[in-house]
Amino acid sequence: MAQAKSCELSLAAQTTDELLHGLEKLRQSWKENPAGVPKGLACSESKSGQFVLVAAESAFITLPGACVIKGIGAIELLGEPAFEDGDHSKTLVLKATPEGWQFSVKFMRPVVRERNAKQST
């Protein structure tokens, strides 16, 4: 049986001052005490030294037009939702780049199986 692959989609998003302040505070806290990162969040640094934050599904809430990362702030989503009902194992990925913050979401599509479907006559 083939393994389902995760999808990653970039999000068209706008940051808020609250979010930028929360991200900077988390980054400083993580540098001082990596074990002190709140549950559901994982911080790391890319090979090029860029800060990366991964928020598990338990650490963020998706609302119409926004994602709210608990204890950090809100991301205003522009355009249509990136995922549909039934998608699961969602994680929100935030990367600090020289051009600014990049936002994406990773998720799994539901597995649809058609087994021995009998046609009615």
Side-chain angles (χ1 to χ4, degrees):
M1 183 164 103
Q3 294 266 340
K5 293 189 179 187
S6 66
C7 303
E8 182 171 1
L9 295 174
S10 293
L11 297 174
Q14 185 172 359
T15 59
T16 62
D17 289 337
E18 175 190 3
L19 176 70
L20 294 175
H21 178 70
L23 288 170
E24 189 55 39
K25 186 176 173 185
L26 178 66
R27 175 191 274 176
Q28 291 302 320
S29 173
W30 170 71
K31 284 184 177 183
E32 293 169 10
N33 179 16
V37 174
K39 188 174 182 178
L41 301 177
C43 299
S44 63
E45 211 170 75
S46 69
K47 290 180 182 178
S48 57
Q50 299 167 340
F51 179 69
V52 178
L53 170 66
V54 178
E57 195 168 11
S58 62
F60 73 95
I61 300 167
T62 305
L63 304 169
C67 278
V68 179
I69 304 171
K70 296 175 187 173
I72 303 214
I75 303 166
E76 181 182 347
L77 299 177
L78 308 172
E80 295 296 314
F83 37 84
E84 302 169 6
D85 289 339
D87 292 343
H88 61 283
S89 299
K90 296 184 262 298
T91 55
L92 189 61
V93 181
L94 290 78
K95 297 177 187 174
T97 67
E99 297 82 33
W101 286 92
Q102 290 182 347
F103 305 90
S104 63
V105 66
K106 285 187 178 185
F107 59 92
M108 300 287 289
R109 297 265 186 218
V111 177
V112 178
R113 294 186 176 95
E114 296 179 27
R115 295 185 181 167
N116 303 326
K118 293 184 181 182
Q119 294 184 359
S120 303
T121 56

